[in-house]
PDB file of all heavy atoms in Angstrom:
ATOM      1  N   SER A 466     -65.554  42.328  84.992  1.00 70.00           N
ATOM      2  CA  SER A 466     -66.584  41.896  85.928  1.00 70.00           C
ATOM      3  C   SER A 466     -66.662  40.379  86.072  1.00 70.00           C
ATOM      4  O   SER A 466     -67.213  39.876  87.049  1.00 70.00           O
ATOM      5  CB  SER A 466     -67.951  42.431  85.474  1.00 70.00           C
ATOM      6  OG  SER A 466     -68.251  41.962  84.160  1.00 70.00           O
ATOM      7  N   ALA A 467     -66.139  39.631  85.117  1.00 85.00           N
ATOM      8  CA  ALA A 467     -66.222  38.170  85.162  1.00 85.00           C
ATOM      9  C   ALA A 467     -65.434  37.634  86.360  1.00 85.00           C
ATOM     10  O   ALA A 467     -64.275  38.001  86.559  1.00 85.00           O
ATOM     11  CB  ALA A 467     -65.680  37.568  83.875  1.00 85.00           C
ATOM     12  N   PRO A 468     -66.047  36.762  87.170  1.00 93.00           N
ATOM     13  CA  PRO A 468     -65.322  36.216  88.329  1.00 93.00           C
ATOM     14  C   PRO A 468     -64.281  35.167  87.949  1.00 93.00           C
ATOM     15  O   PRO A 468     -63.414  34.836  88.756  1.00 93.00           O
ATOM     16  CB  PRO A 468     -66.439  35.609  89.175  1.00 93.00           C
ATOM     17  CG  PRO A 468     -67.542  35.343  88.216  1.00 93.00           C
ATOM     18  CD  PRO A 468     -67.443  36.343  87.121  1.00 93.00           C
ATOM     19  N   GLY A 469     -64.355  34.618  86.749  1.00 94.00           N
ATOM     20  CA  GLY A 469     -63.363  33.658  86.268  1.00 94.00           C
ATOM     21  C   GLY A 469     -63.122  33.891  84.789  1.00 94.00           C
ATOM     22  O   GLY A 469     -64.063  34.165  84.040  1.00 94.00           O
ATOM     23  N   ILE A 470     -61.870  33.807  84.363  1.00 94.00           N
ATOM     24  CA  ILE A 470     -61.509  34.171  82.989  1.00 94.00           C
ATOM     25  C   ILE A 470     -60.802  33.004  82.303  1.00 94.00           C
ATOM     26  O   ILE A 470     -59.917  32.366  82.896  1.00 94.00           O
ATOM     27  CB  ILE A 470     -60.592  35.410  82.984  1.00 94.00           C
ATOM     28  CG1 ILE A 470     -61.347  36.622  83.525  1.00 94.00           C
ATOM     29  CG2 ILE A 470     -60.058  35.715  81.586  1.00 94.00           C
ATOM     30  CD1 ILE A 470     -60.475  37.809  83.820  1.00 94.00           C
ATOM     31  N   ALA A 471     -61.181  32.726  81.061  1.00 95.00           N
ATOM     32  CA  ALA A 471     -60.490  31.735  80.228  1.00 95.00           C
ATOM     33  C   ALA A 471     -60.110  32.410  78.914  1.00 95.00           C
ATOM     34  O   ALA A 471     -60.943  33.068  78.286  1.00 95.00           O
ATOM     35  CB  ALA A 471     -61.378  30.525  79.971  1.00 95.00           C
ATOM     36  N   LEU A 472     -58.847  32.261  78.517  1.00 94.00           N
ATOM     37  CA  LEU A 472     -58.325  32.927  77.322  1.00 94.00           C
ATOM     38  C   LEU A 472     -57.682  31.901  76.405  1.00 94.00           C
ATOM     39  O   LEU A 472     -57.111  30.905  76.871  1.00 94.00           O
ATOM     40  CB  LEU A 472     -57.282  33.977  77.712  1.00 94.00           C
ATOM     41  CG  LEU A 472     -57.729  35.109  78.638  1.00 94.00           C
ATOM     42  CD1 LEU A 472     -56.534  35.891  79.144  1.00 94.00           C
ATOM     43  CD2 LEU A 472     -58.710  36.012  77.928  1.00 94.00           C
ATOM     44  N   PHE A 473     -57.759  32.160  75.107  1.00 95.00           N
ATOM     45  CA  PHE A 473     -57.108  31.285  74.126  1.00 95.00           C
ATOM     46  C   PHE A 473     -56.639  32.120  72.939  1.00 95.00           C
ATOM     47  O   PHE A 473     -57.340  33.027  72.489  1.00 95.00           O
ATOM     48  CB  PHE A 473     -58.081  30.204  73.638  1.00 95.00           C
ATOM     49  CG  PHE A 473     -57.649  29.525  72.368  1.00 95.00           C
ATOM     50  CD1 PHE A 473     -56.503  28.730  72.343  1.00 95.00           C
ATOM     51  CD2 PHE A 473     -58.356  29.691  71.181  1.00 95.00           C
ATOM     52  CE1 PHE A 473     -56.088  28.113  71.172  1.00 95.00           C
ATOM     53  CE2 PHE A 473     -57.953  29.078  70.009  1.00 95.00           C
ATOM     54  CZ  PHE A 473     -56.812  28.277  69.995  1.00 95.00           C
ATOM     55  N   ASP A 474     -55.441  31.804  72.475  1.00 92.00           N
ATOM     56  CA  ASP A 474     -54.939  32.391  71.233  1.00 92.00           C
ATOM     57  C   ASP A 474     -54.230  31.287  70.455  1.00 92.00           C
ATOM     58  O   ASP A 474     -53.471  30.493  71.033  1.00 92.00           O
ATOM     59  CB  ASP A 474     -53.973  33.541  71.515  1.00 92.00           C
ATOM     60  CG  ASP A 474     -53.566  34.257  70.240  1.00 92.00           C
ATOM     61  OD1 ASP A 474     -52.625  33.785  69.550  1.00 92.00           O
ATOM     62  OD2 ASP A 474     -54.184  35.285  69.916  1.00 92.00           O
ATOM     63  N   ASP A 475     -54.478  31.253  69.161  1.00 93.00           N
ATOM     64  CA  ASP A 475     -53.944  30.172  68.328  1.00 93.00           C
ATOM     65  C   ASP A 475     -52.420  30.151  68.294  1.00 93.00           C
ATOM     66  O   ASP A 475     -51.819  29.109  68.039  1.00 93.00           O
ATOM     67  CB  ASP A 475     -54.500  30.321  66.897  1.00 93.00           C
ATOM     68  CG  ASP A 475     -54.687  28.972  66.226  1.00 93.00           C
ATOM     69  OD1 ASP A 475     -54.936  27.987  66.948  1.00 93.00           O
ATOM     70  OD2 ASP A 475     -54.564  28.906  64.992  1.00 93.00           O
ATOM     71  N   GLY A 476     -51.795  31.288  68.577  1.00 92.00           N
ATOM     72  CA  GLY A 476     -50.333  31.344  68.484  1.00 92.00           C
ATOM     73  C   GLY A 476     -49.618  31.141  69.800  1.00 92.00           C
ATOM     74  O   GLY A 476     -48.386  31.194  69.854  1.00 92.00           O
ATOM     75  N   TRP A 477     -50.366  30.902  70.884  1.00 94.00           N
ATOM     76  CA  TRP A 477     -49.711  30.775  72.182  1.00 94.00           C
ATOM     77  C   TRP A 477     -48.971  29.449  72.307  1.00 94.00           C
ATOM     78  O   TRP A 477     -49.358  28.436  71.734  1.00 94.00           O
ATOM     79  CB  TRP A 477     -50.732  30.903  73.304  1.00 94.00           C
ATOM     80  CG  TRP A 477     -51.166  32.334  73.499  1.00 94.00           C
ATOM     81  CD1 TRP A 477     -50.623  33.441  72.931  1.00 94.00           C
ATOM     82  CD2 TRP A 477     -52.239  32.795  74.317  1.00 94.00           C
ATOM     83  NE1 TRP A 477     -51.288  34.565  73.343  1.00 94.00           N
ATOM     84  CE2 TRP A 477     -52.283  34.200  74.190  1.00 94.00           C
ATOM     85  CE3 TRP A 477     -53.173  32.161  75.140  1.00 94.00           C
ATOM     86  CZ2 TRP A 477     -53.218  34.978  74.867  1.00 94.00           C
ATOM     87  CZ3 TRP A 477     -54.108  32.931  75.813  1.00 94.00           C
ATOM     88  CH2 TRP A 477     -54.132  34.325  75.683  1.00 94.00           C
ATOM     89  N   HIS A 478     -47.892  29.483  73.093  1.00 92.00           N
ATOM     90  CA  HIS A 478     -47.027  28.319  73.295  1.00 92.00           C
ATOM     91  C   HIS A 478     -47.543  27.505  74.477  1.00 92.00           C
ATOM     92  O   HIS A 478     -47.725  28.031  75.582  1.00 92.00           O
ATOM     93  CB  HIS A 478     -45.599  28.796  73.553  1.00 92.00           C
ATOM     94  CG  HIS A 478     -44.565  27.717  73.469  1.00 92.00           C
ATOM     95  ND1 HIS A 478     -44.492  26.685  74.372  1.00 92.00           N
ATOM     96  CD2 HIS A 478     -43.557  27.509  72.571  1.00 92.00           C
ATOM     97  CE1 HIS A 478     -43.480  25.897  74.049  1.00 92.00           C
ATOM     98  NE2 HIS A 478     -42.898  26.369  72.964  1.00 92.00           N
ATOM     99  N   GLU A 479     -47.759  26.221  74.228  1.00 91.00           N
ATOM    100  CA  GLU A 479     -48.318  25.349  75.265  1.00 91.00           C
ATOM    101  C   GLU A 479     -47.472  25.329  76.537  1.00 91.00           C
ATOM    102  O   GLU A 479     -47.999  25.230  77.651  1.00 91.00           O
ATOM    103  CB  GLU A 479     -48.453  23.929  74.703  1.00 91.00           C
ATOM    104  CG  GLU A 479     -49.053  22.937  75.666  1.00 91.00           C
ATOM    105  CD  GLU A 479     -49.019  21.515  75.129  1.00 91.00           C
ATOM    106  OE1 GLU A 479     -49.116  21.334  73.891  1.00 91.00           O
ATOM    107  OE2 GLU A 479     -48.898  20.594  75.940  1.00 91.00           O
ATOM    108  N   GLY A 480     -46.160  25.437  76.374  1.00 89.00           N
ATOM    109  CA  GLY A 480     -45.285  25.341  77.540  1.00 89.00           C
ATOM    110  C   GLY A 480     -45.278  26.572  78.423  1.00 89.00           C
ATOM    111  O   GLY A 480     -44.715  26.547  79.513  1.00 89.00           O
ATOM    112  N   VAL A 481     -45.887  27.665  77.970  1.00 91.00           N
ATOM    113  CA  VAL A 481     -45.796  28.930  78.703  1.00 91.00           C
ATOM    114  C   VAL A 481     -47.163  29.418  79.198  1.00 91.00           C
ATOM    115  O   VAL A 481     -47.248  30.419  79.897  1.00 91.00           O
ATOM    116  CB  VAL A 481     -45.105  30.007  77.817  1.00 91.00           C
ATOM    117  CG1 VAL A 481     -44.835  31.286  78.575  1.00 91.00           C
ATOM    118  CG2 VAL A 481     -43.770  29.468  77.278  1.00 91.00           C
ATOM    119  N   VAL A 482     -48.254  28.701  78.869  1.00 93.00           N
ATOM    120  CA  VAL A 482     -49.583  29.196  79.238  1.00 93.00           C
ATOM    121  C   VAL A 482     -49.780  29.258  80.756  1.00 93.00           C
ATOM    122  O   VAL A 482     -50.532  30.107  81.251  1.00 93.00           O
ATOM    123  CB  VAL A 482     -50.720  28.371  78.582  1.00 93.00           C
ATOM    124  CG1 VAL A 482     -50.826  28.687  77.107  1.00 93.00           C
ATOM    125  CG2 VAL A 482     -50.547  26.878  78.831  1.00 93.00           C
ATOM    126  N   GLY A 483     -49.096  28.391  81.506  1.00 91.00           N
ATOM    127  CA  GLY A 483     -49.231  28.434  82.960  1.00 91.00           C
ATOM    128  C   GLY A 483     -48.689  29.728  83.545  1.00 91.00           C
ATOM    129  O   GLY A 483     -49.301  30.347  84.424  1.00 91.00           O
ATOM    130  N   ILE A 484     -47.525  30.146  83.044  1.00 90.00           N
ATOM    131  CA  ILE A 484     -46.944  31.407  83.519  1.00 90.00           C
ATOM    132  C   ILE A 484     -47.821  32.573  83.087  1.00 90.00           C
ATOM    133  O   ILE A 484     -48.033  33.523  83.843  1.00 90.00           O
ATOM    134  CB  ILE A 484     -45.514  31.578  82.969  1.00 90.00           C
ATOM    135  CG1 ILE A 484     -44.624  30.422  83.423  1.00 90.00           C
ATOM    136  CG2 ILE A 484     -44.916  32.895  83.423  1.00 90.00           C
ATOM    137  CD1 ILE A 484     -43.233  30.467  82.861  1.00 90.00           C
ATOM    138  N   LEU A 485     -48.342  32.506  81.855  1.00 92.00           N
ATOM    139  CA  LEU A 485     -49.219  33.559  81.361  1.00 92.00           C
ATOM    140  C   LEU A 485     -50.456  33.681  82.257  1.00 92.00           C
ATOM    141  O   LEU A 485     -50.851  34.790  82.646  1.00 92.00           O
ATOM    142  CB  LEU A 485     -49.642  33.261  79.926  1.00 92.00           C
ATOM    143  CG  LEU A 485     -50.657  34.233  79.310  1.00 92.00           C
ATOM    144  CD1 LEU A 485     -50.061  35.617  79.174  1.00 92.00           C
ATOM    145  CD2 LEU A 485     -51.140  33.728  77.957  1.00 92.00           C
ATOM    146  N   ALA A 486     -51.072  32.548  82.600  1.00 94.00           N
ATOM    147  CA  ALA A 486     -52.249  32.567  83.472  1.00 94.00           C
ATOM    148  C   ALA A 486     -51.912  33.220  84.812  1.00 94.00           C
ATOM    149  O   ALA A 486     -52.709  33.995  85.363  1.00 94.00           O
ATOM    150  CB  ALA A 486     -52.772  31.145  83.687  1.00 94.00           C
ATOM    151  N   ALA A 487     -50.724  32.917  85.335  1.00 92.00           N
ATOM    152  CA  ALA A 487     -50.303  33.498  86.618  1.00 92.00           C
ATOM    153  C   ALA A 487     -50.160  35.014  86.511  1.00 92.00           C
ATOM    154  O   ALA A 487     -50.559  35.756  87.413  1.00 92.00           O
ATOM    155  CB  ALA A 487     -48.983  32.867  87.067  1.00 92.00           C
ATOM    156  N   ARG A 488     -49.582  35.488  85.405  1.00 88.00           N
ATOM    157  CA  ARG A 488     -49.386  36.932  85.231  1.00 88.00           C
ATOM    158  C   ARG A 488     -50.727  37.667  85.135  1.00 88.00           C
ATOM    159  O   ARG A 488     -50.918  38.720  85.731  1.00 88.00           O
ATOM    160  CB  ARG A 488     -48.561  37.201  83.967  1.00 88.00           C
ATOM    161  CG  ARG A 488     -47.158  36.633  84.007  1.00 88.00           C
ATOM    162  CD  ARG A 488     -46.229  37.462  84.885  1.00 88.00           C
ATOM    163  NE  ARG A 488     -44.856  36.992  84.734  1.00 88.00           N
ATOM    164  CZ  ARG A 488     -44.264  36.106  85.536  1.00 88.00           C
ATOM    165  NH1 ARG A 488     -44.929  35.603  86.552  1.00 88.00           N
ATOM    166  NH2 ARG A 488     -43.006  35.734  85.324  1.00 88.00           N
ATOM    167  N   ILE A 489     -51.652  37.115  84.349  1.00 91.00           N
ATOM    168  CA  ILE A 489     -52.961  37.754  84.189  1.00 91.00           C
ATOM    169  C   ILE A 489     -53.737  37.686  85.505  1.00 91.00           C
ATOM    170  O   ILE A 489     -54.433  38.632  85.899  1.00 91.00           O
ATOM    171  CB  ILE A 489     -53.766  37.100  83.045  1.00 91.00           C
ATOM    172  CG1 ILE A 489     -52.979  37.169  81.729  1.00 91.00           C
ATOM    173  CG2 ILE A 489     -55.113  37.767  82.898  1.00 91.00           C
ATOM    174  CD1 ILE A 489     -52.653  38.567  81.264  1.00 91.00           C
ATOM    175  N   LYS A 490     -53.617  36.566  86.208  1.00 92.00           N
ATOM    176  CA  LYS A 490     -54.259  36.423  87.521  1.00 92.00           C
ATOM    177  C   LYS A 490     -53.767  37.505  88.475  1.00 92.00           C
ATOM    178  O   LYS A 490     -54.548  38.147  89.192  1.00 92.00           O
ATOM    179  CB  LYS A 490     -53.979  35.023  88.072  1.00 92.00           C
ATOM    180  CG  LYS A 490     -54.568  34.736  89.450  1.00 92.00           C
ATOM    181  CD  LYS A 490     -53.629  35.003  90.605  1.00 92.00           C
ATOM    182  CE  LYS A 490     -52.401  34.123  90.592  1.00 92.00           C
ATOM    183  NZ  LYS A 490     -51.535  34.351  91.774  1.00 92.00           N
ATOM    184  N   ASP A 491     -52.442  37.728  88.489  1.00 88.00           N
ATOM    185  CA  ASP A 491     -51.879  38.753  89.366  1.00 88.00           C
ATOM    186  C   ASP A 491     -52.375  40.146  88.989  1.00 88.00           C
ATOM    187  O   ASP A 491     -52.604  40.990  89.858  1.00 88.00           O
ATOM    188  CB  ASP A 491     -50.349  38.725  89.298  1.00 88.00           C
ATOM    189  CG  ASP A 491     -49.757  37.494  89.968  1.00 88.00           C
ATOM    190  OD1 ASP A 491     -50.470  36.847  90.761  1.00 88.00           O
ATOM    191  OD2 ASP A 491     -48.590  37.169  89.687  1.00 88.00           O
ATOM    192  N   LYS A 492     -52.528  40.378  87.692  1.00 86.00           N
ATOM    193  CA  LYS A 492     -52.928  41.709  87.219  1.00 86.00           C
ATOM    194  C   LYS A 492     -54.396  42.000  87.519  1.00 86.00           C
ATOM    195  O   LYS A 492     -54.758  43.087  87.959  1.00 86.00           O
ATOM    196  CB  LYS A 492     -52.667  41.830  85.716  1.00 86.00           C
ATOM    197  CG  LYS A 492     -52.866  43.242  85.167  1.00 86.00           C
ATOM    198  CD  LYS A 492     -52.406  43.326  83.727  1.00 86.00           C
ATOM    199  CE  LYS A 492     -52.497  44.759  83.217  1.00 86.00           C
ATOM    200  NZ  LYS A 492     -51.533  45.666  83.884  1.00 86.00           N
ATOM    201  N   LEU A 493     -55.275  41.003  87.302  1.00 89.00           N
ATOM    202  CA  LEU A 493     -56.710  41.221  87.437  1.00 89.00           C
ATOM    203  C   LEU A 493     -57.299  40.730  88.762  1.00 89.00           C
ATOM    204  O   LEU A 493     -58.436  41.033  89.083  1.00 89.00           O
ATOM    205  CB  LEU A 493     -57.453  40.529  86.290  1.00 89.00           C
ATOM    206  CG  LEU A 493     -57.099  40.969  84.868  1.00 89.00           C
ATOM    207  CD1 LEU A 493     -57.935  40.183  83.868  1.00 89.00           C
ATOM    208  CD2 LEU A 493     -57.337  42.465  84.693  1.00 89.00           C
TER     209      LEU A 493
END
Side-chain angles (χ1 to χ4, degrees):
S466 59
I470 295 168
L472 301 169
F473 163 66
D474 186 276
D475 212 29
W477 285 351
H478 193 293
E479 181 187 328
V481 187
V482 286
I484 300 176
L485 175 65
R488 297 284 188 265
I489 303 300
K490 179 267 297 183
D491 289 342
K492 188 172 185 67
L493 301 180

